[in-house]
């Protein structure tokens, strides 16, 4: 059907020829059966195969690290030295290590890929005569795609209808000014940038409406041609993982040096050379924290899932950690803080106000105080009509009565419907000729209709902006001039309604001879409409939670200052009196040049009202310059630059545009502010968990190195056998570390100020804790070893068993020493973490098997150490726990009393 030749010339054909060539009908689209057939021919509409890491690659990755080579070398060495059992045991350790790494990484990779799929772009397409929303990868050539402002184009389209359609093609052409689209054919040979009758995959619709026939999908699109996107940006390791990786690498060299020194010292003290080489290798293997990045990845992936379950879809892994460090949230109002379930409560007309009252599904119009019947009022009649005519809400095809679109517009349709004014009933009189999409700068939208040979422009928008361009007012006796006094009066009425938290919109119109006038000039004001959009119930609590967490919340809305201030007040924003600024106040401010006083004023503001999209960008920069880590919510096409600039861009899943979604790091499925706070809590918990298991793993590893190092250094017998070290490393370290990584956090998580984003994972306090815990475990183990050797006279073999058991148990109990100092010794986030208990039971079980299974015990050099030996090991194993808890209590007292 489509060859490279036809693709090249799609823009040179006229709309009819294109439909014919692609065997489709613009009005009906393709039939389902045909879609299936074409998909078989053309494949899915994807630029690249979704980057799934194959299980084989993940498996291979497990055997590439230095650790594996060390283990393999150790195994070969054992074989050379004639120690078959050791050689086999090391191979088993190697395989087990690989298996754990493999399953962990596989799970993390798969769960992240599944999350990425949730965020796939959707597209509206006409098929079998109906407009449906489908996943963009299901598009086939010949499909008829329906576009509107805010959409990302998902295939190359030859446009067949457009209404004021503009596309941002900077991705393809580098030109940032949106291109106006049209439908006429263009001369063959025209360059991509000038093919104005095409909408290209990957570009964004910034304004207007349109429909086009898919002429190329997947790699056949222009984007496919120039695409070097070999892989998704999302798959990159997050900064946290990179930092952990670096930490791990540093430790590799340190450990290798220590292991070599220990081996040399042992040989100098007369131990057997092969034995010391094996000990050195085992030490190196044990002490290298090879699990760090893997556990961190698992932890982040798990956190992403938990966030997804709470309706926050994270598209960038690194956002999880940035969320934990966020210090300021710039939130919009409508739909995020409020319900976005609007209902019209009144119409303010020339001369009187009309209340809209509801009784069940019945709606009636009343003049307050019973002052007459509004039926027959010409201005009310026009107000209702404009509400229907200047409206882009569409009927929902899946639900007969419902509509899709802006809730404010749906509310207008609902009220007019009760007065029997619908699009269908008006269609006989009004034929639509043009639509002027909502202009976020001028805060108005318009439609033009032909009626009895005239053109009627129906306009709605923010009152200040509509009033500014209104020259007359519609009274029940027809239009009359708008005097200065009228203007002031209307402004006061609008402000009064806004100050009660209502959202106010102005409706206006004009009649002209042609349809090419500026629709926003010389208008006749018809009415102000007031909507009720209640605050979401959970918002005040969420705002309090963010304040407790040291995170400032600032409102940044396109709405009126008074409406915004009232809602902000109900939500509990700010401290003391609310500080409000409007877009006009901000107009002259440039973050780079404005003076200190002005800047300080802006930085203290709680509510920014009537802000234009470019002001949002300025504000984000300004707050960032002050050292804030900024999270910002947004939904419109024009919010995209600010969303990108913010440290965390948060887009709305329900009402947001695709463009905003593509530009952001987090998508709120329910649009709710409380979800941001829940996600932030997750972000903080994850970072805390990662810190916990790093401290845990490292203190365990330090103890292993110190025990063998010190013993060998001072000429004692070697207290741990190489295979024992490997066993401990595998059993006692890994499972509790995983359990810590899965913790759900605690109540304190959100009562601390945000973390400094530059703070290292392991700060000085934590290094000290690692040293202290590692030192305490070493002391306990060596003491147990020496007591068994010299006091209980249990013999060298049994003393080794006692040392092994002391170390194994002490490492298990050590998990309780990484708790938060401010929580109780017994009831804290660790003791409440069920995974920790499961890990302990599992590890104790494995230890019992290692001791009890004859063959295993033989290989590991283990046996029953007698009641005295056992008692000694168990009691000494608690020493580090006691030391750790004393330290935690002291450090808590020190910080809480400011000592
Ligand atoms: P927020 O920024 O908190 O989401 P908002 O919805 O009021 O609030 P915008 O979408 O920027 O912000 O709208 C700004 C103003 O423009 C609105 O307060 C309203 O007066 C007007 N407006 C919004 N949508 C439309 C529309 N579809 N038609 C006409 N006017 C609109």
């Amino acid at each position: 059907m489509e060859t490279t030749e036809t693709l090249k010339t799609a823009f040179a054909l006229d709309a009819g020829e294109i439909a014919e060539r692609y065997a489709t009908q613009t009005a009906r689209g393709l039939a389902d059966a045909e879609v299936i057939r074409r998909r078989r021919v053309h494949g899915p509409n994807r630029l690249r195969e979704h980057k799934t890491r194959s299980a084989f690659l993940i498996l291979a990755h497990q055997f590439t690290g230095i650790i594996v080579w060390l283990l393999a070398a150790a195994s070969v060495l054992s074989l050379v030295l004639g120690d078959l059992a050791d050689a086999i045991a090391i191979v088993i350790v190697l395989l087990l290590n690989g298996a754990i790494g493999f399953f962990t990484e596989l799970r993390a990779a798969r769960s992240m890929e599944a999350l990425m799929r949730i965020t796939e772009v959707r597209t509206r397409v006409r098929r079998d005569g109906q407009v449906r929303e489908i996943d963009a990868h299901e598009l086939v050539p010949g499909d008829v795609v329906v576009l509107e402002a805010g959409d990302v184009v998902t295939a190359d389209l030859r446009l067949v209808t457009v209404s004021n359609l503009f596309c941002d093609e900077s991705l393809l052409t580098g030109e940032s000014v949106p291109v106006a689209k049209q439908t006429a054919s263009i001369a063959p040979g025209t360059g991509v940038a000038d093919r104005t009758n095409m909408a290209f995959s990957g570009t964004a619709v910034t304004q207007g409406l349109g429909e086009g026939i898919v002429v190329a999908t997947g790699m056949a699109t222009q984007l496919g041609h120039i695409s070097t996107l070999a892989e998704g940006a999302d798959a990159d390791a997050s900064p946290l993982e990179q930092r952990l990786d670096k930490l791990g690498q540093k430790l590799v060299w340190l450990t290798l040096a220590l292991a070599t020194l220990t081996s040399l010292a042992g040989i100098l003290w007369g131990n057997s050379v092969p034995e010391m080489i094996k000990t050195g290798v085992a030490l190196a293997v044990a002490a290298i924290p090879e699990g760090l990045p893997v556990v961190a990845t698992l932890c982040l992936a798990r956190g992403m899932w938990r966030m997804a379950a709470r309706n926050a879809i994270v598209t960038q892994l690194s956002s999880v950690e940035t969320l934990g460090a966020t210090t300021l949230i710039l939130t919009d109002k409508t739909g995020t803080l409020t319900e976005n379930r609007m209902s019209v409560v009144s119409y303010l007309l020339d001369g009187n106000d009309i209340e809209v009252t509801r009784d069940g599904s019945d709606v009636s119009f009343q003049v307050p105080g019973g002052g007459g019947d509004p039926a027959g009022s010409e201005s009310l009649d026009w107000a209702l009509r404009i509400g229907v005519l200047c409206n882009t809400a569409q009927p929902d095809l899946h639900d007969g009565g419902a509509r899709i679109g802006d809730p404010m517009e749906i509310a207008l349709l609902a009220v007019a419907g009760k007065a029997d004014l619908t699009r269908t009933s008006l269609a006989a009189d009004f034929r639509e000729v043009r639509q002027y999409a909502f202009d976020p700068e001028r805060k108005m939208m318009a439609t033009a209709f032909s009626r009895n040979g005239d053109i009627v422009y129906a306009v709605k928008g923010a009152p200040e902006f509509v009033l500014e361009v209104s020259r007359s007012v519609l009274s029940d006796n027809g239009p009359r001039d708008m005097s200065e006094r009228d203007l002031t009066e209307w402004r006061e009425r609008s402000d009064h309604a806004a100050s009660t938290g209502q959202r106010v919109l102005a409706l206006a119109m004009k009649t002209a001879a042609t349809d090419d006038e500026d629709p926003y000039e010389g208008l006749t004001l018809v009415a102000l409409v007031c909507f009720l959009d209640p605050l979401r119930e959970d918002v005040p609590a969420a705002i309090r939670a963010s304040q407790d967490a040291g995170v400032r919340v600032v409102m940044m809305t396109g709405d009126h200052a008074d409406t915004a201030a009232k809602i902000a007040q109900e939500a509990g924003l700010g401290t003391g009196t609310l500080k409000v600024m409007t877009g006009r106040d901000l107009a002259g401010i440039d973050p780079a040049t404005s003076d200190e006083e002005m800047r300080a004023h802006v930085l203290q503001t709680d509510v920014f009202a009537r802000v234009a999209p470019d002001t949002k960008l300025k504000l984000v920069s300004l707050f960032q310059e002050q050292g804030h880590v900024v999270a910002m919510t947004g939904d419109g096409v024009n919010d995209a630059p600010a969303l990108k600039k913010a440290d965390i861009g948060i887009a709305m899943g329900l009402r947001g545009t695709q463009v905003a979604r593509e530009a952001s790091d987090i998508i709120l499925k329910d649009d709710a502010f409380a979800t941001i706070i829940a996600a932030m809590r997750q972000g903080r918990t994850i970072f805390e968990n990662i810190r916990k298991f790093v401290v845990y793993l490292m203190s365990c590893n330090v103890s292993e190195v110190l025990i063998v190092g010190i013993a060998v250094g001072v000429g004692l017998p070697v207290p741990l056998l190489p295979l024992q070290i490997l066993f401990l490393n595998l059993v006692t370290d890994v499972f509790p570390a995983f359990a810590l990584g899965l913790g759900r956090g605690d109540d304190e998580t959100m009562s601390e100020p945000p973390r400094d984003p530059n703070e290292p994972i392991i700060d000085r306090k934590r290094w000290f804790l690692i040293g202290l815990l590692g030192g305490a475990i070493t002391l306990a183990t060596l003491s147990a070893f020496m007591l068994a050797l010299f006091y209980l006279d249990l013999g060298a073999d049994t003393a080794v068993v006692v040392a092994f058991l002391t170390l194994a148990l002490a490492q298990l109990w050590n998990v309780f020493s990484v708790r938060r100092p401010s929580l109780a010794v017994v009831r804290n986030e660790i003791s409440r973490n069920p995974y920790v208990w499961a890990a302990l039971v599992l590890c104790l079980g494995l230890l019992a098997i290692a001791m009890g299974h004859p063959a295993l015990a033989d290989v590991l050099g283990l046996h029953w150490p007698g009641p005295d030996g056992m008692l000694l090991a168990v009691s000494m194993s608690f020493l580090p726990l006691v030391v750790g808890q004393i330290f935690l209590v002291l450090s808590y007292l020190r910080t809480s009393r400011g000592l």
Side-chain angles (χ1 to χ4, degrees), residues 331-336 342 390 392 406 408-409 438-440 443-445 460-464 503-506 555-560 610-611 613 616 635 655:
T331 175
D332 55 1
K333 173 184 71 73
T334 316
T336 312
M342 305 220 186
C390 185
T392 54
D406 184 341
M408 191 168 66
E409 299 196 327
F438 174 64
D439 179 342
K443 307 218 184 298
M444 290 182 271
M445 73 160 279
K460 72 179 194 309
E464 311 92 286
R503 190 174 159 93
V504 189
L505 198 70
M555 187 196 280
M556 191 165 68
T557 175
D559 212 336
H560 189 283
R610 287 286 189 239
V611 284
K616 293 190 180 176
D635 51 8
R655 79 194 134 91

Short mmCIF file of all heavy atoms in Angstrom, two decimals, residues 331-336 342 390 392 406 408-409 438-440 443-445 460-464 503-506 555-560 610-611 613 616 635 655, ligand 1:
data_model
loop_
_atom_site.label_atom_id
_atom_site.label_comp_id
_atom_site.label_asym_id
_atom_site.label_seq_id
_atom_site.Cartn_x
_atom_site.Cartn_y
_atom_site.Cartn_z
N THR A 331 1.95 24.51 43.61
CA THR A 331 0.80 23.74 43.15
C THR A 331 -0.23 24.63 42.48
O THR A 331 -0.39 25.79 42.86
CB THR A 331 0.14 23.00 44.33
OG1 THR A 331 -1.04 22.36 43.87
CG2 THR A 331 -0.21 23.91 45.48
N ASP A 332 -0.91 24.08 41.49
CA ASP A 332 -2.02 24.84 40.92
C ASP A 332 -3.25 24.57 41.77
O ASP A 332 -3.20 23.79 42.72
CB ASP A 332 -2.24 24.54 39.44
CG ASP A 332 -2.45 23.08 39.17
OD1 ASP A 332 -2.43 22.31 40.14
OD2 ASP A 332 -2.64 22.71 38.00
N LYS A 333 -4.32 25.24 41.47
CA LYS A 333 -5.48 25.16 42.36
C LYS A 333 -6.54 24.21 41.81
O LYS A 333 -6.87 23.21 42.42
CB LYS A 333 -6.09 26.56 42.54
CG LYS A 333 -7.38 26.56 43.30
CD LYS A 333 -7.97 27.96 43.36
CE LYS A 333 -8.50 28.45 42.03
NZ LYS A 333 -9.77 27.83 41.61
N THR A 334 -7.02 24.57 40.60
CA THR A 334 -8.20 23.89 40.09
C THR A 334 -7.91 22.42 39.82
O THR A 334 -7.05 22.10 39.02
CB THR A 334 -8.67 24.58 38.79
OG1 THR A 334 -8.61 25.98 39.03
CG2 THR A 334 -10.06 24.16 38.42
N GLY A 335 -8.62 21.57 40.54
CA GLY A 335 -8.46 20.14 40.30
C GLY A 335 -7.39 19.51 41.16
O GLY A 335 -7.40 18.30 41.38
N THR A 336 -6.42 20.29 41.63
CA THR A 336 -5.38 19.70 42.48
C THR A 336 -5.77 19.93 43.94
O THR A 336 -5.81 18.99 44.74
CB THR A 336 -4.02 20.36 42.19
OG1 THR A 336 -3.83 20.38 40.78
CG2 THR A 336 -2.89 19.59 42.84
N MET A 342 -17.41 21.00 39.09
CA MET A 342 -17.98 22.34 39.16
C MET A 342 -19.49 22.31 38.98
O MET A 342 -20.02 21.48 38.26
CB MET A 342 -17.39 23.20 38.06
CG MET A 342 -15.91 23.20 38.14
SD MET A 342 -15.27 24.79 37.82
CE MET A 342 -13.55 24.36 37.80
N CYS A 390 -20.02 28.43 23.16
CA CYS A 390 -18.58 28.60 23.36
C CYS A 390 -18.11 27.49 24.30
O CYS A 390 -17.83 27.72 25.46
CB CYS A 390 -18.33 29.99 23.98
SG CYS A 390 -16.61 30.38 24.14
N THR A 392 -16.24 23.36 24.36
CA THR A 392 -15.60 22.27 23.58
C THR A 392 -15.83 20.90 24.19
O THR A 392 -15.25 19.92 23.74
CB THR A 392 -14.08 22.51 23.47
OG1 THR A 392 -13.58 22.67 24.78
CG2 THR A 392 -13.75 23.71 22.62
N ASP A 406 -13.56 19.93 29.93
CA ASP A 406 -13.37 20.81 31.06
C ASP A 406 -14.63 20.81 31.95
O ASP A 406 -15.72 21.11 31.45
CB ASP A 406 -13.12 22.21 30.47
CG ASP A 406 -12.79 23.23 31.54
OD1 ASP A 406 -13.10 22.95 32.70
OD2 ASP A 406 -12.25 24.29 31.19
N MET A 408 -15.78 22.85 33.92
CA MET A 408 -16.48 24.12 33.91
C MET A 408 -17.43 24.16 32.70
O MET A 408 -18.58 24.59 32.81
CB MET A 408 -15.43 25.23 33.79
CG MET A 408 -15.93 26.60 34.00
SD MET A 408 -14.54 27.72 34.17
CE MET A 408 -13.80 27.68 32.55
N GLU A 409 -16.96 23.67 31.58
CA GLU A 409 -17.79 23.67 30.37
C GLU A 409 -18.92 22.65 30.50
O GLU A 409 -20.04 22.90 30.05
CB GLU A 409 -16.93 23.36 29.15
CG GLU A 409 -15.85 24.41 28.94
CD GLU A 409 -15.23 24.36 27.55
OE1 GLU A 409 -15.14 23.25 26.99
OE2 GLU A 409 -14.86 25.43 27.04
N PHE A 438 -8.74 28.17 23.66
CA PHE A 438 -8.46 28.96 24.86
C PHE A 438 -7.03 29.49 24.80
O PHE A 438 -6.10 28.74 24.55
CB PHE A 438 -8.67 28.10 26.11
CG PHE A 438 -8.28 28.78 27.39
CD1 PHE A 438 -8.95 29.92 27.80
CD2 PHE A 438 -7.22 28.31 28.16
CE1 PHE A 438 -8.59 30.58 28.97
CE2 PHE A 438 -6.86 28.96 29.33
CZ PHE A 438 -7.55 30.09 29.73
N ASP A 439 -6.90 30.79 24.99
CA ASP A 439 -5.59 31.41 24.94
C ASP A 439 -5.14 31.68 26.38
O ASP A 439 -5.69 32.54 27.06
CB ASP A 439 -5.71 32.72 24.16
CG ASP A 439 -4.39 33.47 24.07
OD1 ASP A 439 -3.50 33.17 24.89
OD2 ASP A 439 -4.26 34.36 23.21
N PRO A 440 -4.15 30.95 26.87
CA PRO A 440 -3.80 31.08 28.28
C PRO A 440 -3.21 32.45 28.64
O PRO A 440 -3.22 32.83 29.80
CB PRO A 440 -2.77 29.97 28.53
CG PRO A 440 -2.47 29.37 27.21
CD PRO A 440 -3.38 29.93 26.18
N LYS A 443 -6.50 34.57 28.44
CA LYS A 443 -7.47 33.91 29.31
C LYS A 443 -8.90 33.97 28.79
O LYS A 443 -9.85 34.22 29.54
CB LYS A 443 -7.39 34.44 30.75
CG LYS A 443 -5.97 34.39 31.31
CD LYS A 443 -5.92 34.01 32.75
CE LYS A 443 -4.52 34.05 33.33
NZ LYS A 443 -3.57 33.13 32.71
N MET A 444 -9.04 33.78 27.49
CA MET A 444 -10.37 33.76 26.87
C MET A 444 -10.39 32.70 25.77
O MET A 444 -9.34 32.31 25.26
CB MET A 444 -10.66 35.12 26.21
CG MET A 444 -10.89 36.24 27.20
SD MET A 444 -11.29 37.78 26.38
CE MET A 444 -9.70 38.51 26.12
N MET A 445 -11.60 32.26 25.42
CA MET A 445 -11.76 31.45 24.21
C MET A 445 -13.00 31.94 23.47
O MET A 445 -13.85 32.63 24.06
CB MET A 445 -11.88 29.97 24.52
CG MET A 445 -13.18 29.52 25.13
SD MET A 445 -13.44 27.74 24.93
CE MET A 445 -14.06 27.65 23.27
N LYS A 460 -16.00 33.43 26.06
CA LYS A 460 -16.01 33.33 27.51
C LYS A 460 -14.57 33.39 28.01
O LYS A 460 -13.63 33.03 27.28
CB LYS A 460 -16.71 32.06 27.99
CG LYS A 460 -16.01 30.75 27.77
CD LYS A 460 -16.90 29.66 28.34
CE LYS A 460 -16.23 28.31 28.52
NZ LYS A 460 -15.53 27.77 27.39
N GLY A 461 -14.41 33.88 29.25
CA GLY A 461 -13.05 34.00 29.76
C GLY A 461 -13.01 34.64 31.13
O GLY A 461 -14.06 34.94 31.72
N ALA A 462 -11.80 34.87 31.61
CA ALA A 462 -11.62 35.47 32.93
C ALA A 462 -12.22 36.87 32.93
O ALA A 462 -11.98 37.64 32.00
CB ALA A 462 -10.15 35.53 33.26
N PRO A 463 -13.01 37.24 33.98
CA PRO A 463 -13.74 38.50 33.96
C PRO A 463 -12.88 39.72 33.68
O PRO A 463 -13.24 40.53 32.81
CB PRO A 463 -14.35 38.58 35.36
CG PRO A 463 -14.46 37.17 35.79
CD PRO A 463 -13.34 36.42 35.15
N GLU A 464 -11.72 39.87 34.36
CA GLU A 464 -10.94 41.09 34.13
C GLU A 464 -10.60 41.26 32.66
O GLU A 464 -10.59 42.37 32.12
CB GLU A 464 -9.60 41.07 34.89
CG GLU A 464 -9.65 40.71 36.34
CD GLU A 464 -9.44 39.23 36.53
OE1 GLU A 464 -10.38 38.48 36.21
OE2 GLU A 464 -8.38 38.80 36.99
N ARG A 503 -15.55 30.45 41.54
CA ARG A 503 -14.80 30.70 40.32
C ARG A 503 -15.72 31.49 39.41
O ARG A 503 -16.86 31.10 39.18
CB ARG A 503 -14.46 29.35 39.72
CG ARG A 503 -13.51 29.35 38.59
CD ARG A 503 -13.24 27.89 38.29
NE ARG A 503 -12.73 27.70 36.96
CZ ARG A 503 -11.45 27.66 36.67
NH1 ARG A 503 -10.56 27.80 37.61
NH2 ARG A 503 -11.04 27.48 35.43
N VAL A 504 -15.23 32.61 38.92
CA VAL A 504 -16.11 33.49 38.13
C VAL A 504 -15.62 33.55 36.69
O VAL A 504 -14.42 33.64 36.43
CB VAL A 504 -16.12 34.92 38.73
CG1 VAL A 504 -17.19 35.76 38.05
CG2 VAL A 504 -16.34 34.87 40.23
N LEU A 505 -16.57 33.47 35.79
CA LEU A 505 -16.24 33.50 34.36
C LEU A 505 -17.15 34.53 33.70
O LEU A 505 -18.31 34.67 34.07
CB LEU A 505 -16.55 32.11 33.79
CG LEU A 505 -15.92 31.75 32.47
CD1 LEU A 505 -14.42 31.58 32.64
CD2 LEU A 505 -16.51 30.44 31.95
N ALA A 506 -16.63 35.25 32.71
CA ALA A 506 -17.46 36.22 32.01
C ALA A 506 -17.91 35.65 30.67
O ALA A 506 -17.15 34.94 30.02
CB ALA A 506 -16.68 37.51 31.79
N MET A 555 0.74 28.39 46.19
CA MET A 555 -0.24 28.20 45.12
C MET A 555 0.13 29.07 43.93
O MET A 555 0.54 30.22 44.09
CB MET A 555 -1.63 28.57 45.63
CG MET A 555 -2.72 28.24 44.63
SD MET A 555 -4.25 29.09 45.02
CE MET A 555 -4.92 28.10 46.31
N MET A 556 -0.01 28.49 42.75
CA MET A 556 0.32 29.24 41.53
C MET A 556 -0.80 28.93 40.54
O MET A 556 -0.84 27.84 39.99
CB MET A 556 1.66 28.71 41.02
CG MET A 556 2.28 29.52 39.96
SD MET A 556 4.02 29.06 39.76
CE MET A 556 3.93 27.44 39.11
N THR A 557 -1.72 29.84 40.39
CA THR A 557 -2.93 29.50 39.64
C THR A 557 -3.24 30.53 38.56
O THR A 557 -2.80 31.68 38.63
CB THR A 557 -4.13 29.38 40.61
OG1 THR A 557 -5.31 29.17 39.86
CG2 THR A 557 -4.30 30.61 41.47
N GLY A 558 -4.02 30.10 37.60
CA GLY A 558 -4.47 31.01 36.56
C GLY A 558 -5.73 31.75 36.98
O GLY A 558 -6.20 32.66 36.31
N ASP A 559 -6.29 31.35 38.13
CA ASP A 559 -7.57 31.91 38.56
C ASP A 559 -7.39 33.29 39.21
O ASP A 559 -6.28 33.75 39.46
CB ASP A 559 -8.24 30.93 39.54
CG ASP A 559 -9.77 30.99 39.41
OD1 ASP A 559 -10.27 32.03 38.97
OD2 ASP A 559 -10.43 30.00 39.77
N HIS A 560 -8.53 33.89 39.54
CA HIS A 560 -8.61 35.21 40.14
C HIS A 560 -7.97 35.22 41.53
O HIS A 560 -8.08 34.25 42.27
CB HIS A 560 -10.10 35.58 40.24
CG HIS A 560 -10.36 36.99 40.63
ND1 HIS A 560 -10.23 37.42 41.91
CD2 HIS A 560 -10.74 38.06 39.89
CE1 HIS A 560 -10.53 38.71 41.96
NE2 HIS A 560 -10.84 39.12 40.74
N ARG A 610 -3.60 34.52 38.71
CA ARG A 610 -3.61 35.00 37.33
C ARG A 610 -2.21 34.96 36.70
O ARG A 610 -1.80 35.91 36.04
CB ARG A 610 -4.16 36.43 37.25
CG ARG A 610 -5.65 36.53 37.46
CD ARG A 610 -6.44 36.05 36.28
NE ARG A 610 -7.86 36.35 36.42
CZ ARG A 610 -8.83 35.45 36.42
NH1 ARG A 610 -8.56 34.16 36.29
NH2 ARG A 610 -10.09 35.80 36.54
N VAL A 611 -1.50 33.88 36.97
CA VAL A 611 -0.15 33.82 36.39
C VAL A 611 -0.21 33.22 34.99
O VAL A 611 -0.98 32.29 34.74
CB VAL A 611 0.84 32.99 37.25
CG1 VAL A 611 1.28 33.75 38.45
CG2 VAL A 611 0.25 31.66 37.63
N PRO A 613 1.74 31.23 31.83
CA PRO A 613 2.70 30.12 31.86
C PRO A 613 4.17 30.56 31.95
O PRO A 613 4.95 29.93 32.66
CB PRO A 613 2.43 29.40 30.55
CG PRO A 613 1.00 29.71 30.24
CD PRO A 613 0.76 31.08 30.77
N LYS A 616 5.29 31.23 35.35
CA LYS A 616 5.53 30.02 36.14
C LYS A 616 7.00 29.62 36.03
O LYS A 616 7.64 29.28 37.01
CB LYS A 616 4.65 28.87 35.64
CG LYS A 616 3.18 29.10 35.89
CD LYS A 616 2.36 27.85 35.62
CE LYS A 616 0.89 28.14 35.87
NZ LYS A 616 0.02 27.02 35.54
N ASP A 635 -0.69 21.30 34.08
CA ASP A 635 -1.49 20.45 33.20
C ASP A 635 -1.51 20.91 31.75
O ASP A 635 -1.74 20.12 30.86
CB ASP A 635 -2.92 20.32 33.74
CG ASP A 635 -3.56 21.67 34.05
OD1 ASP A 635 -2.93 22.69 33.70
OD2 ASP A 635 -4.64 21.70 34.63
N ARG A 655 -6.72 15.39 34.05
CA ARG A 655 -7.06 16.55 33.23
C ARG A 655 -5.85 17.10 32.48
O ARG A 655 -5.98 18.03 31.71
CB ARG A 655 -7.69 17.63 34.10
CG ARG A 655 -6.75 18.44 34.92
CD ARG A 655 -7.46 19.23 35.98
NE ARG A 655 -6.72 19.07 37.21
CZ ARG A 655 -5.76 19.88 37.59
NH1 ARG A 655 -5.42 20.88 36.86
NH2 ARG A 655 -5.13 19.67 38.72
P1 LIG B 1 -5.21 26.51 37.88
O1 LIG B 1 -4.06 27.27 37.30
O2 LIG B 1 -5.17 26.43 39.34
O3 LIG B 1 -5.52 25.22 37.22
P2 LIG B 1 -7.25 27.82 36.37
O4 LIG B 1 -7.93 26.64 35.75
O5 LIG B 1 -8.13 28.93 36.81
O6 LIG B 1 -6.49 27.45 37.65
P3 LIG B 1 -6.15 28.45 33.85
O7 LIG B 1 -6.54 27.17 33.21
O8 LIG B 1 -4.84 29.10 33.51
O9 LIG B 1 -6.15 28.34 35.39
O10 LIG B 1 -7.30 29.47 33.56
C1 LIG B 1 -7.18 30.81 33.91
C2 LIG B 1 -8.50 31.48 33.77
O11 LIG B 1 -8.92 31.47 32.42
C3 LIG B 1 -9.60 30.80 34.54
O12 LIG B 1 -9.67 31.25 35.86
C4 LIG B 1 -10.82 31.19 33.75
O13 LIG B 1 -11.26 32.47 34.14
C5 LIG B 1 -10.30 31.25 32.34
N1 LIG B 1 -10.55 30.00 31.63
C6 LIG B 1 -10.02 28.80 31.89
N2 LIG B 1 -10.46 27.87 31.04
C7 LIG B 1 -11.29 28.49 30.20
C8 LIG B 1 -12.07 28.09 29.07
N3 LIG B 1 -12.09 26.84 28.64
N4 LIG B 1 -12.80 29.03 28.46
C9 LIG B 1 -12.78 30.29 28.88
N5 LIG B 1 -12.08 30.74 29.92
C10 LIG B 1 -11.34 29.87 30.58
#
